[in-house]
Amino acid sequence: MPGPSQQLHERLLAFGESIRLLRRRVGLSQEELAHAAGLHRTYVGSIERGERNLSIGNAWALADALDASLADLLSPMPGDDR
Amino acid sequence: MPGPSQQLHERLLAFGESIRLLRRRVGLSQEELAHAAGLHRTYVGSIERGERNLSIGNAWALADALDASLADLLSPMPGDDR
């Protein structure tokens, strides 16, 4: 079983990947998504690479900008099937 | 339509409430939940009152401690039915 920080790293990677997949599916650039979410483009890039333990408020802002619920972006996650 | 900060406030309140409901359902005190999640009891109390824009990592830690997925704790949320 991965340690807490390894598990957090894997989850942030998975969350970032789901943001990227949905962003591309709806045809937004990182710049357009960042603008819609009120965030900086480089910050969105680092979130997509799984490098940010972002606030839940910023996670909701990204979900709103992608017209998705945060729950959708979080399912399924590594460790959910414990 | 509530402004962004009002919507964030409502969502944090709803999230805190879902943490509290599940914590009570599984029979944990705030102290026990905080210990299991590696957080301070007073911090868990402020999260349950919707006063914290917590990190997604801390949100996962609480979900794990409650043996739930974070997606479960986030469904449904104010604004999901936009």
Side-chain angles (χ1 to χ4, degrees), chain B residues 55-73:
Chain B
S55 71
I56 199 165
N58 282 342
W60 270 317
L62 287 165
D64 289 346
L66 291 165
D67 204 23
S69 75
L70 183 50
D72 292 342
L73 288 172

Side-chain angles (χ1 to χ4, degrees), chain A residues 56-58 60, chain B residues 3-13 50 53:
Chain A
I56 199 165
N58 283 342
W60 270 317
Chain B
S5 60
Q6 176 59 25
Q7 184 173 46
L8 175 59
H9 176 64
E10 289 170 8
R11 284 170 159 169
L12 291 175
L13 279 173
N53 184 12

